Amino acid sequence: MASELRAMAWTVLLVPACAWYARSACRRLRPGLPRLAALAPTFPVFVYLPSLFNSLHFRLFSTFFHTWLAINKLVLLALGIGPLHPSLPLVPFVLCASLPIKLRLSQQPPAAKRSPSSPPPPPLADFLRPCARSFFFLSCLFVAYPHTGWLPVYAVHFLYCVQVFLTLDLVLSSVALASATVLGAGLERQFSTPLAVASLNDFWGRQWNLMAVDLLRASAYEPVRARWGRDAGVLAAFLMSGLLHELLYLYLTLRRPRGEMVLFFMLHGVSQIAERWARAAGLWRPPKVAAYLLVSAFMVVTISELFFGPFMRAGADVRLMEEAAAMLHLIMGVSRRLLRPFGVVSSL
């Protein structure tokens, strides 16, 4: 616990310092190579941060927040594109640079001055509801896991997929809830309904991890599409995502990647292109229920063999489950102590 607190303290110190430096440098330099060179010294800091943590969950989210998103956002900032802009106030800039949140660059006017046609910021309940929902269903999953031994392996891995979604939704919605409370501004949700899709294009483009989708679109898809066409842009985005997940595998397992993450994402990129071609040619128009079942089966099988497989062989899944169960018990214990004086959780 002491080492995790020390790592968290270094993170809280270094990340805002790097973001402040990046904002200050970009306010003095125009987009291009000089700005990129000025921001480059911050990149090793973000690469190093995940290695400070022993907990795989903290290492995972530090890799996603800092090594993946923060560096990507700063590279785009150096080019004058992306979600960051040096004109943002310091606190919104630091939060947007260091967390998976997306702020509107055009700041909303005060409520008293907002025109009737301007949409109000999303209410905090839009993030509070998914937090409560994800926590509830995660609790149900951990209660059910000891009784899943009779299920086929792919059915268990489907539950793992649900767990991954609920965990990410809980963490990202909690981060967005805290950020929206601090900033008093509306933020965009990171997930829609990824467990109920009947199309690979819909899943990867409009449902899953939308912050990462936006960054991949700006850093890989758009530049490549402008030069070599739409399909090449799709493959470039999936290749970049695969390489970033290879880095995640390295951080979580401390083993040399074997290319399975790249293979998984390239397979899905090719499949997404094939699905779009088949739809355009009228060759793929199954009923919605059949499409949902086929897409879900394809997702579960490929995730099981190419995505979960490497992590499970390294034993990362066992550690992640143990950490998640310990965290759930800690939260339940704290809740019991806090609410016991009111007599509402005596049965917990």
Side-chain angles (χ1 to χ4, degrees):
M1 179 64 71
S3 63
E4 302 304 293
L5 292 176
R6 184 164 54 250
M8 191 68 69
W10 277 112
T11 300
V12 172
L13 175 67
L14 291 174
V15 170
C18 289
W20 170 82
Y21 165 77
R23 177 176 177 269
S24 301
C26 291
R27 290 168 73 92
R28 293 169 172 80
L29 297 171
R30 292 184 177 182
L33 288 178
R35 184 184 280 191
L36 181 61
L39 298 185
T42 66
F43 299 163
V45 176
F46 291 118
V47 171
Y48 177 68
L49 284 176
S51 64
L52 295 176
F53 294 97
N54 291 321
S55 164
L56 292 193
H57 278 88
F58 287 154
R59 208 183 298 168
L60 184 154
F61 287 111
S62 180
T63 303
F64 179 49
F65 290 6
H66 306 133
T67 310
W68 185 347
L69 296 185
I71 292 179
N72 204 326
K73 291 176 183 179
L74 292 180
V75 170
L76 293 176
L77 174 64
L79 302 176
I81 55 179
L84 293 177
H85 195 275
S87 64
L88 278 173
L90 180 59
V91 173
F93 185 94
V94 170
L95 290 177
C96 187
S98 57
L99 297 174
I101 59 175
K102 185 176 181 181
L103 299 173
R104 295 181 179 87
L105 294 183
S106 56
Q107 299 296 312
Q108 293 282 352
K113 299 180 180 179
R114 187 182 294 125
S115 64
S117 60
S118 299
L124 296 182
D126 285 354
F127 299 107
L128 186 59
R129 279 194 297 268
C131 289
R133 178 198 62 203
S134 296
F135 180 76
F136 172 76
F137 284 113
L138 276 173
S139 302
C140 294
L141 272 180
F142 282 107
V143 171
Y145 272 140
H147 310 287
T148 58
W150 58 276
L151 290 175
V153 63
Y154 288 140
V156 176
H157 287 178
F158 176 77
L159 295 180
Y160 285 177
C161 294
V162 175
Q163 179 188 337
V164 169
F165 162 65
L166 292 175
T167 302
L168 289 175
D169 196 34
L170 174 61
V171 172
L172 299 186
S173 295
S174 300
V175 168
L177 177 63
S179 302
T181 303
V182 171
L183 299 174
L187 305 176
E188 296 185 9
R189 288 288 313 279
Q190 299 304 313
F191 295 95
S192 183
T193 54
L195 298 179
V197 295
S199 164
L200 290 175
N201 282 269
D202 190 38
F203 177 86
W204 290 116
R206 291 179 289 274
Q207 304 290 340
W208 180 260
N209 202 354
L210 300 181
M211 177 83 261
V213 169
D214 287 344
L215 293 178
L216 289 171
R217 184 178 290 117
S219 58
Y221 174 76
E222 293 292 351
V224 174
R225 186 195 66 149
R227 188 177 182 91
W228 288 292
R230 181 178 181 180
D231 293 343
V234 169
L235 294 178
F238 275 92
L239 174 60
M240 184 174 181
S241 183
L243 292 172
L244 292 170
H245 281 83
E246 295 284 2
L247 182 64
L248 177 65
Y249 174 84
L250 173 64
Y251 277 118
L252 290 188
T253 66
L254 302 180
R255 296 185 180 185
R256 182 191 305 175
R258 298 169 54 185
E260 287 153 307
M261 300 293 113
V262 170
L263 179 59
F264 169 79
F265 281 97
M266 293 305 292
L267 173 61
H268 277 253
V270 172
S271 300
Q272 180 175 323
I273 293 172
E275 180 191 74
R276 178 163 43 81
W277 284 357
R279 285 184 181 276
L283 302 176
W284 175 255
R285 298 187 184 276
K288 189 170 183 179
V289 174
Y292 168 74
L293 293 175
L294 290 171
V295 170
S296 297
F298 175 79
M299 295 289 293
V300 171
V301 171
T302 55
I303 289 173
S304 176
E305 299 298 333
L306 296 176
F307 194 91
F308 287 159
F311 290 103
M312 296 177 72
R313 287 192 294 272
D317 62 316
V318 176
R319 282 193 58 187
L320 287 169
M321 293 288 287
E322 291 173 349
E323 289 181 9
M327 180 60 67
L328 179 62
H329 288 309
L330 175 63
I331 294 174
M332 295 295 290
V334 172
S335 301
R336 188 183 300 114
R337 290 187 179 184
L338 291 176
L339 298 178
R340 182 176 292 130
F342 302 97
V344 296
V345 291
S346 57
S347 61
L348 290 180

